[in-house]
Amino acid sequence: MNLEQEKEKRVQEIERVIAGYMPECTGYQKTLIDAMQYSIQAGGKRLRPMLMQEAFRIFGGSGQAVEPFMAALEMIHTYSLVHDDLPAMDNDEYRRGRLTTHMVYGEAMAVLAGDGLLTYAFETAVKAYQYASSDRFARALSILAEKAGIFGMAGGQGLDVEAEKKSIPLTEEQLLFIHEKKTAALIQAALMIGAVLAGASDEDVSRMERIGYYTGVAFQIQDDILDVTGTSEELGKPVGSDEKNHKETYVTLHGLEESIRDVEAMSMEAVGILNGICGDTEFLRACIMQMISRRK
Amino acid sequence: MNLEQEKEKRVQEIERVIAGYMPECTGYQKTLIDAMQYSIQAGGKRLRPMLMQEAFRIFGGSGQAVEPFMAALEMIHTYSLVHDDLPAMDNDEYRRGRLTTHMVYGEAMAVLAGDGLLTYAFETAVKAYQYASSDRFARALSILAEKAGIFGMAGGQGLDVEAEKKSIPLTEEQLLFIHEKKTAALIQAALMIGAVLAGASDEDVSRMERIGYYTGVAFQIQDDILDVTGTSEELGKPVGSDEKNHKETYVTLHGLEESIRDVEAMSMEAVGILNGICGDTEFLRACIMQMISRRK
């Protein structure tokens, strides 16, 4: 398998799914929907829907049940970036080389575009009801909401914002909490929802949750490592921003060498759990390894 | 029936339901959940859950299926107020005599508290799955998301914000669109979801949608009327703010006299449709009349 070719093929398919579930830019809410479209078209790597689709496939899922959830998860990921970039939050003017949503549409419209994407994510996920058994549908929805919400991503954001605004130094436990919730939660959602919709056993769903944890936390630590070791050209964003912002990261707490070792250990954990799953897990393994060892 | 006594009794019950579904303020996300609690405890009239519960009762609903949705709708209503009050939006420092969420918790935490409430609304609504038939559950969820989202409340907000930021004069059609979406949509959601969960016919659900439309739009026009005719003491907020902000309202477009007549006509429409529904609609009729003819 050529990983890059395979990923490119899948990204094209995922783009089609997402575009198919996005609302049309018409009517009196045209500008708002434009802002939502602009945000979701920022050209991310579509990692979360890709992981979800693959988990669905691994456990023998077929049919369209996973598609509304793939689009929904990407909408949720996108809303979180739009709100994160707001002047009141990280105050970022660029993301992946493009102006952020509030720079183009204004701050008020960016707040609403985020709200619109978050709500439309659930409106979209509900469309899976016609394709899935009702038990799987309800469980998938519940995971989506929990992992996006205050016991998931938003909860991690909450502590992150609080620590930053009050300049409270984070403990190791708090830092891991933020990484788990802010980054790993949506990766867990991707893997778990794919598995649930395909009818995986509770044990396998729980395995996917643990794989998502190690992958997500390692992915985030790798991000912190790249902020120290990477170049702006590779990353397409300024490096050294954590140090400049006096931001505590796993790297500032543990040093570069130990951080690199820990990322390695976590990726081994993730792959070890994956090895316990019956099915063709080759592509998922390759994706996880690439996410963790990426240079950009 | 003494309407005030009956409402007071029901509000107590509704407060218990909402409190029961709100998350506990513990853990690393404590401040975020505190901010959500502060926001929802602002002491609103709990009109939307009250209408939902009553619609459920009218169509013979029993059991707990409606309760998660009652709490969810109030969370959505609350999130919309928190985001509305933000400096980038209406920049309001007080709501109902209390400091707004961002004045107490800061702007970033208020953005997150709104996001947290919106996501937790869906996390809460999903809990109704155990109490309702899956068809009714999925339909109720779909209505909740649609009426809250870009084809509902958020869509109305979008045009309102756009017109205000760009100082574009609104046409009558646009103004009615904003009132329908921004105000009536959640009232429609309340009435429709209550009916759906109780197993009402499609025809009756559509009646509830139309009742919600007339009630919501009349309620909003009455708000605009009170901004001209009311006193600060009655309303607990400054009056004349629309004129001060050069805000176009139904009253500035049609004049006070015609607006009062139109509110009356819309309330008659709503009650006329309600009269076509079999069942004990006395309390709902009284609520609607009071919402529309309120002095505060």
Side-chain angles (χ1 to χ4, degrees):
Chain A
M1 178 183 62
N2 179 318
L3 183 63
E4 285 314 314
Q5 271 179 12
E6 182 62 26
K7 281 180 81 168
E8 202 175 307
K9 203 182 83 190
R10 295 193 188 205
V11 165
Q12 281 178 17
E13 160 77 1
I14 292 166
E15 295 291 355
R16 190 195 56 74
V17 170
I18 294 171
Y21 279 104
M22 283 292 288
E24 270 184 73
C25 294
T26 55
Y28 284 137
Q29 53 282 75
K30 185 180 180 312
T31 306
L32 172 59
I33 300 178
D34 273 344
M36 291 163 59
Q37 287 278 10
Y38 176 83
S39 309
I40 209 158
Q41 283 164 2
K45 289 165 276 183
R46 310 303 190 203
L47 279 178
R48 292 155 195 80
M50 191 181 292
L51 295 174
M52 189 189 288
Q53 193 180 38
E54 183 59 9
F56 186 66
R57 201 196 54 74
I58 287 174
F59 294 104
S62 65
Q64 295 175 59
V66 75
E67 294 190 355
F69 279 99
M70 289 164 60
L73 189 61
E74 193 67 9
M75 289 175 202
I76 288 176
H77 172 59
T78 304
Y79 116 77
S80 78
L81 302 181
V82 172
H83 280 188
D84 250 18
D85 290 337
L86 285 171
M89 308 281 277
D90 289 351
N91 196 19
D92 280 320
E93 298 185 357
Y94 289 90
R95 178 173 288 277
R96 297 204 190 90
R98 282 167 98 228
L99 286 168
T100 47
T101 307
H102 65 90
M103 294 297 290
V104 178
Y105 292 90
E107 204 178 331
M109 197 55 85
V111 171
L112 284 177
D115 295 344
L117 281 164
L118 175 54
T119 315
Y120 204 66
F122 289 101
E123 197 167 339
T124 302
V126 173
K127 292 176 182 160
Y129 179 66
Q130 60 187 305
Y131 306 119
S133 89
S134 53
D135 277 356
R136 292 179 191 175
F137 165 76
R139 182 134 178 248
L141 258 186
S142 168
I143 292 168
L144 184 69
E146 188 193 316
K147 294 295 183 188
I150 50 174
F151 299 114
M153 184 180 67
Q157 282 279 71
L159 180 59
D160 197 21
V161 159
E162 188 180 5
E164 209 162 310
K165 299 285 166 188
K166 294 188 187 163
S167 300
I168 301 170
L170 293 169
T171 64
E172 155 119 38
E173 200 182 272
Q174 288 174 321
L175 190 69
L176 280 176
F177 174 89
I178 292 173
H179 285 357
E180 176 189 347
K181 301 301 181 184
K182 208 175 142 175
T183 309
L186 288 198
I187 293 171
Q188 293 178 309
L191 294 171
M192 294 168 74
I193 290 171
V196 162
L197 290 174
S201 68
D202 286 351
E203 202 187 337
D204 278 337
V205 173
S206 142
R207 281 185 169 124
M208 293 313 249
E209 185 167 26
R210 284 183 295 135
I211 292 171
Y213 172 82
Y214 288 117
T215 306
V217 173
F219 181 82
Q220 185 56 51
I221 297 175
Q222 183 68 10
D223 209 58
D224 299 340
I225 291 172
L226 290 174
D227 192 69
V228 176
T229 65
T231 65
S232 298
E233 288 70 35
E234 280 176 333
L235 297 173
K237 64 179 179 182
V239 295
S241 63
D242 292 339
E243 196 187 347
K244 203 182 74 193
N245 299 331
H246 303 288
K247 192 167 173 152
E248 248 160 348
T249 72
Y250 201 84
V251 179
T252 63
L253 278 181
H254 290 273
L256 196 56
E257 211 172 302
E258 195 180 321
S259 300
I260 291 171
R261 251 192 340 260
D262 289 348
V263 164
E264 181 68 15
M266 286 181 197
S267 70
M268 285 305 102
E269 284 286 347
V271 168
I273 303 166
L274 192 59
N275 287 340
I277 290 173
C278 294
D280 171 14
T281 55
E282 186 193 346
F283 179 73
L284 184 55
R285 185 179 297 104
C287 281
I288 289 174
M289 293 308 293
Q290 195 189 42
M291 280 172 72
I292 293 175
S293 60
R294 78 207 145 90
R295 304 289 312 151
K296 57 182 180 174
Chain B
M1 179 184 60
N2 180 318
L3 183 63
E4 285 315 313
Q5 272 179 13
E6 182 63 26
K7 280 180 81 168
E8 202 174 306
K9 203 181 83 189
R10 295 192 186 205
V11 166
Q12 281 178 19
E13 160 78 0
I14 291 166
E15 294 291 356
R16 190 194 58 72
V17 170
I18 294 171
Y21 279 104
M22 281 294 285
E24 270 184 71
C25 294
T26 56
Y28 284 137
Q29 52 283 77
K30 186 181 179 309
T31 307
L32 172 58
I33 301 177
D34 273 344
M36 290 162 61
Q37 286 279 8
Y38 176 84
S39 307
I40 209 158
Q41 282 163 5
K45 289 166 276 184
R46 310 303 190 202
L47 278 177
R48 291 156 196 80
M50 191 180 293
L51 294 175
M52 189 189 288
Q53 193 179 38
E54 183 59 9
F56 186 66
R57 201 196 53 74
I58 287 174
F59 294 104
S62 66
Q64 294 175 61
V66 75
E67 294 190 357
F69 278 99
M70 288 164 61
L73 188 61
E74 194 68 8
M75 289 174 202
I76 288 176
H77 173 57
T78 303
Y79 115 76
S80 79
L81 301 181
V82 173
H83 280 188
D84 249 19
D85 289 337
L86 285 171
M89 307 279 279
D90 288 352
N91 196 19
D92 280 320
E93 299 184 357
Y94 289 90
R95 178 173 288 278
R96 296 205 192 90
R98 281 167 99 228
L99 286 168
T100 48
T101 306
H102 66 90
M103 294 297 289
V104 178
Y105 293 90
E107 204 178 331
M109 197 56 84
V111 171
L112 284 177
D115 294 344
L117 282 163
L118 175 54
T119 315
Y120 204 68
F122 288 101
E123 196 167 341
T124 302
V126 172
K127 293 175 182 160
Y129 180 65
Q130 61 187 305
Y131 305 120
S133 89
S134 53
D135 277 357
R136 291 179 192 175
F137 164 77
R139 180 132 182 250
L141 258 185
S142 167
I143 292 168
L144 185 69
E146 187 193 317
K147 293 296 183 187
I150 50 173
F151 299 113
M153 184 181 67
Q157 283 278 71
L159 181 59
D160 198 20
V161 160
E162 188 180 6
E164 210 162 310
K165 299 286 166 186
K166 297 189 185 161
S167 300
I168 302 169
L170 293 168
T171 64
E172 155 120 38
E173 201 183 89
Q174 288 174 320
L175 189 70
L176 279 176
F177 173 88
I178 292 173
H179 285 358
E180 176 188 347
K181 302 300 181 184
K182 207 174 143 176
T183 309
L186 288 198
I187 293 172
Q188 292 178 309
L191 295 171
M192 293 168 76
I193 290 171
V196 162
L197 290 173
S201 68
D202 286 352
E203 201 187 338
D204 278 338
V205 174
S206 141
R207 281 184 170 125
M208 292 315 250
E209 186 168 25
R210 285 183 295 137
I211 292 171
Y213 172 83
Y214 288 117
T215 304
V217 173
F219 181 82
Q220 185 55 52
I221 298 175
Q222 183 67 10
D223 210 57
D224 300 339
I225 291 172
L226 289 175
D227 192 71
V228 176
T229 65
T231 66
S232 299
E233 289 71 36
E234 279 177 333
L235 298 174
K237 64 179 180 183
V239 294
S241 62
D242 292 338
E243 196 186 346
K244 203 181 75 194
N245 299 331
H246 303 289
K247 189 166 174 151
E248 248 161 351
T249 71
Y250 200 85
V251 178
T252 63
L253 278 182
H254 290 273
L256 196 56
E257 211 172 302
E258 196 179 320
S259 301
I260 292 171
R261 251 195 337 260
D262 288 348
V263 164
E264 180 68 15
M266 287 180 195
S267 70
M268 285 304 103
E269 284 286 347
V271 168
I273 302 166
L274 190 59
N275 287 340
I277 290 173
C278 293
D280 172 13
T281 55
E282 186 193 346
F283 179 73
L284 184 56
R285 184 178 298 105
C287 282
I288 289 174
M289 293 307 293
Q290 194 189 42
M291 281 171 72
I292 294 175
S293 60
R294 79 208 144 91
R295 304 288 311 150
K296 58 183 181 175

